[in-house]
Amino acid sequence: MSSVEPLKARRLYLLLRDRIVSGEERPQSRLPSEPTLAEQHGVSRVTVRRALDKLANEGLIERRPGSGTFVNGSKANFPVTADFSNLLSHLVEMGRRTEVKLLSFGYVPPTPVLAEALRLEAGERVQRSVRLRVIDGQPFSYLVTHVPERIGVSYSEADLASKPLLELLERSGLVAERASQTIGATLAGPDIAEALGLEIGAALLALTRVVYAPSGQGIEHLHAFYRPDRYSFQMDLVRTGAGNSRSWTPVERARKGDAKPRNEASARPESNPQMRRGDVPRRTKA
Amino acid sequence: MSSVEPLKARRLYLLLRDRIVSGEERPQSRLPSEPTLAEQHGVSRVTVRRALDKLANEGLIERRPGSGTFVNGSKANFPVTADFSNLLSHLVEMGRRTEVKLLSFGYVPPTPVLAEALRLEAGERVQRSVRLRVIDGQPFSYLVTHVPERIGVSYSEADLASKPLLELLERSGLVAERASQTIGATLAGPDIAEALGLEIGAALLALTRVVYAPSGQGIEHLHAFYRPDRYSFQMDLVRTGAGNSRSWTPVERARKGDAKPRNEASARPESNPQMRRGDVPRRTKA
DNA sequence: TCTTTCTGTTCTATATCAGATACAGAAACC
DNA sequence: GGTTTCTGTATCTGATATAGAACAGAAAGA
């Protein structure tokens, strides 16, 4: 059944983990001995042991009997990263095999929040789909999507399992013009945890996105959860403007392969949406 | 000391929480009764009760004796949001009182990762500071900063507690030209949890940022942790380009107030933040 | 009003976890 | 080789979460 999760052990595990990843405990160095740790933190050695077990499982430490417990050099964990400028598209470019599993599909009445975000008419239902994105055989994101019913019927259930939703929408003649998204964090519940191969209560990167058509009508509402060890958001910024109005502007990230100069943000053909404070083209929502 | 955290109760809590925030259980609707939930999930009613207690603490549900347990319309607390274009600067503009507490300060030898990120010379040390950002009296971010020693000495410890680090750096004649950042998620360890007023093991939004001078030299390495219920990243994107090269471009977000007015009065008299997903049990004795 | 169905509360077994101790094997140092 | 200091392993005891049940009070419907 659900492997039980100790309590003080977890506490100590998190403490040590923080110390290690924050660099307080340096790579190659030896941790205090188990008896020492036990005394330092007022717990028994068994508990210390459980915490160290977890760290060892994740490859953060290495235990050498008779010698001690040693901090591992950063466990070279390069998660897939997403750049904001192109959202998921670069995954395909990178030639990595990503597949999608459709976990759930159906039409439901919208919640108030959904109805408002998508600007639904009264009584209109939404298509709800839950998908799991897998890269190189390993799941990394759990996607809950809501689409207005009249739009959702333009593609089939099978389409959803094979193509990106945005592509399907645009194929249907819809134009995704604007999107608004929020990035946060949350804990993994049982189903998400299982789908992503995580423990219950693991940390998740959460993204909420609403995509709008030029009309201002919402066409997609996405609730995405990412395994932070396999996926993260990454971006480069440059300082622009002068004086008091200096600010940071995102630039397209240099990726491996198609070398883009790291310093010079030259590449950026036409689209330099350098906007100043006031002039945000806010077409929607007066 | 450490208030113990049940296990099955937590599991059920997370399950129900997901259902509620994902909209599977609609606002105003009644949850299955406690005995029913107990049977459905193969746990005792005491356990169900503990899970519901937690949900009730966070304001996600409302319990009416004799009547049932009801899903609360998401009280959608509006977390402070950050736009990428201006990082933290808008907080000040918004006129909200933010203060900084310096938790730790000192000079330490860098870890290999740090040395490489900041392109340090051999033997060069770094200034390490831990700060806590507070808004309206409530902490929302925990910042661990590393700066090369030769740069760090250009400002005082007291400066750090009063001014943004970037401002200090630029005051010293340094130019922050480029930055590279990664956004992920992690769990709260004991010290971060305590500083931010969270439970151990709560979800955190994690940001790693390296700021570079025009020379390519790194001048600041930041490791930031945010309470997801009080702080999140938000951005608007527009679809640019044509044909195959279509992509999303970030635009500066419309500000004023916080999030854009959702229903009505954007004026949210700050008040006590109701919790949202990401759980945030404020330690209040019931 | 009577009945039913809820939540709120208390109680006592039981399963599971944490604390303490003892001992075996492995490595490092003298 | 002997000694010390580690990790690995096992066992016992106390603490606590969970299970199960019983009962009181509140709300809703017949």
Side-chain angles (χ1 to χ4, degrees):
Chain A
M1 265 320 186
S2 55
S3 66
V4 219
E5 195 175 332
L7 183 62
K8 297 199 179 172
R10 178 178 164 97
R11 180 192 168 93
L12 183 56
Y13 154 74
L14 288 169
L15 179 76
L16 293 175
R17 188 196 58 134
D18 272 8
R19 284 210 193 149
I20 292 174
V21 301
S22 80
E24 245 171 282
E25 299 283 351
R26 348 184 50 71
Q28 316 304 337
S29 74
R30 218 203 67 189
L31 286 181
S33 76
E34 292 179 358
T36 309
L37 281 173
E39 196 206 2
Q40 281 178 349
H41 299 91
V43 298
S44 80
R45 215 191 112 199
V46 198
T47 307
V48 171
R49 204 122 231 300
R50 280 196 255 266
L52 293 183
D53 283 345
K54 241 182 149 181
L55 291 171
N57 268 340
E58 298 173 12
L60 283 172
I61 59 172
E62 189 187 324
R63 306 162 97 175
R64 292 200 273 271
S67 181
T69 304
F70 297 84
V71 178
N72 261 348
S74 78
K75 64 171 202 164
N77 177 25
F78 293 103
V80 179
T81 59
D83 188 11
F84 290 111
S85 313
N86 34 10
L87 296 181
L88 267 174
S89 60
H90 70 298
L91 285 183
V92 209
E93 293 165 24
M94 288 165 66
R96 308 191 64 164
R97 260 184 330 109
T98 72
E99 48 175 326
V100 177
K101 284 181 192 155
L102 188 59
L103 301 182
S104 154
F105 183 87
Y107 289 88
V108 295
T111 60
V113 222
L114 260 179
E116 196 237 321
L118 295 177
R119 299 204 182 84
L120 297 175
E121 292 164 22
E124 199 174 0
R125 297 200 309 166
V126 290
Q127 177 197 83
R128 174 193 164 95
S129 60
V130 181
R131 292 170 297 161
L132 187 69
R133 270 203 110 82
V134 181
I135 187 166
D136 298 332
Q138 295 191 313
F140 70 96
S141 79
Y142 183 96
L143 311 168
V144 183
T145 320
H146 291 267
V147 171
E149 182 168 28
R150 65 180 181 289
I151 296 179
V153 293
S154 67
Y155 51 86
S156 76
E157 194 172 334
D159 284 337
L160 256 187
S162 60
K163 296 194 196 316
L165 180 52
L166 263 185
E167 189 176 311
L168 294 176
L169 294 176
E170 300 201 322
R171 203 187 58 181
S172 308
L174 288 165
V175 180
E177 191 211 42
R178 196 170 64 81
S180 169
Q181 58 185 22
T182 304
I183 298 173
T186 188
L187 297 179
D191 9 61
I192 300 188
E194 186 183 344
L196 290 179
L198 288 169
E199 279 182 0
I200 292 174
L204 292 176
L205 192 54
L207 167 71
T208 305
R209 181 197 303 155
V210 185
V211 179
Y212 298 94
S215 65
Q217 269 270 341
I219 56 179
E220 180 201 355
H221 183 282
L222 170 69
H223 225 97
F225 303 94
Y226 302 94
R227 269 187 71 148
D229 59 331
R230 297 197 180 147
Y231 195 84
S232 64
F233 295 110
Q234 204 160 357
M235 76 200 67
D236 284 343
L237 303 166
V238 292
R239 195 85 151 141
T240 51
N244 260 346
S245 68
R246 286 178 66 103
S247 65
W248 294 91
T249 306
V251 298
E252 202 164 309
R253 185 175 192 74
R255 286 195 306 280
K256 73 166 180 198
D258 60 320
K260 244 163 210 165
R262 271 183 86 83
N263 304 12
E264 275 318 308
S266 62
R268 192 99 182 149
E270 23 66 36
S271 64
N272 202 332
Q274 211 5 42
M275 311 203 166
R276 233 169 285 110
R277 293 269 148 83
D279 44 319
V280 176
R282 207 92 146 58
R283 61 184 304 120
T284 43
K285 195 60 182 202
Chain B
M1 255 329 181
S2 53
S3 68
V4 214
E5 194 176 331
L7 184 62
K8 298 197 180 174
R10 177 177 164 96
R11 181 193 167 91
L12 183 57
Y13 154 74
L14 287 169
L15 179 77
L16 294 175
R17 187 196 59 135
D18 271 9
R19 284 211 192 147
I20 294 174
V21 300
S22 81
E24 246 173 283
E25 299 283 351
R26 351 185 45 70
Q28 317 303 336
S29 74
R30 218 203 68 190
L31 285 181
S33 76
E34 292 180 359
T36 308
L37 281 174
E39 196 205 3
Q40 281 178 349
H41 298 91
V43 298
S44 79
R45 215 190 112 198
V46 200
T47 306
V48 170
R49 207 122 228 301
R50 277 198 258 266
L52 293 182
D53 282 345
K54 241 183 149 182
L55 291 171
N57 268 341
E58 299 170 15
L60 283 171
I61 60 172
E62 188 187 325
R63 306 162 98 177
R64 292 201 272 271
S67 182
T69 304
F70 297 84
V71 178
N72 261 347
S74 85
K75 299 241 173 150
N77 74 329
F78 295 95
V80 178
T81 59
D83 189 10
F84 291 110
S85 314
N86 33 12
L87 296 179
L88 268 173
S89 60
H90 68 298
L91 286 183
V92 209
E93 294 164 23
M94 286 163 65
R96 306 191 68 165
R97 263 186 325 110
T98 73
E99 47 175 325
V100 176
K101 283 180 194 157
L102 189 60
L103 301 183
S104 155
F105 183 87
Y107 290 88
V108 294
T111 60
V113 229
L114 259 180
E116 196 229 323
L118 294 177
R119 298 205 183 87
L120 297 177
E121 292 164 22
E124 199 174 1
R125 297 201 310 166
V126 290
Q127 177 197 82
R128 174 193 164 96
S129 59
V130 180
R131 291 169 298 161
L132 187 70
R133 270 202 111 82
V134 180
I135 186 166
D136 298 331
Q138 296 189 313
F140 70 96
S141 78
Y142 183 95
L143 312 167
V144 182
T145 320
H146 291 267
V147 171
E149 182 169 28
R150 64 179 182 290
I151 296 178
V153 294
S154 66
Y155 50 86
S156 76
E157 195 173 333
D159 285 337
L160 255 188
S162 61
K163 294 193 198 316
L165 180 50
L166 263 185
E167 189 176 312
L168 294 177
L169 294 176
E170 300 201 322
R171 202 187 59 183
S172 309
L174 288 163
V175 180
E177 190 212 43
R178 197 169 62 79
S180 169
Q181 58 184 23
T182 304
I183 298 173
T186 189
L187 297 178
D191 10 61
I192 300 188
E194 186 182 344
L196 290 179
L198 288 169
E199 279 184 359
I200 292 175
L204 292 177
L205 192 54
L207 168 71
T208 306
R209 181 196 304 155
V210 185
V211 179
Y212 298 95
S215 66
Q217 270 268 342
I219 56 179
E220 179 201 355
H221 183 282
L222 170 70
H223 224 96
F225 303 95
Y226 301 94
R227 270 186 72 148
D229 61 326
R230 297 198 182 145
Y231 195 84
S232 64
F233 295 111
Q234 204 159 358
M235 75 198 69
D236 285 343
L237 303 167
V238 292
R239 195 83 152 145
T240 51
N244 261 346
S245 67
R246 286 180 66 101
S247 65
W248 293 92
T249 306
V251 299
E252 202 163 311
R253 185 177 192 74
R255 287 195 323 284
K256 225 48 222 166
D258 23 25
K260 61 179 131 184
R262 284 175 80 91
N263 291 352
E264 27 185 272
S266 60
R268 201 79 179 176
E270 117 266 333
S271 72
N272 77 356
Q274 259 308 7
M275 330 279 179
R276 214 180 60 167
R277 79 148 176 274
D279 78 335
V280 176
R282 286 216 11 108
R283 268 150 211 265
T284 42
K285 273 305 171 178

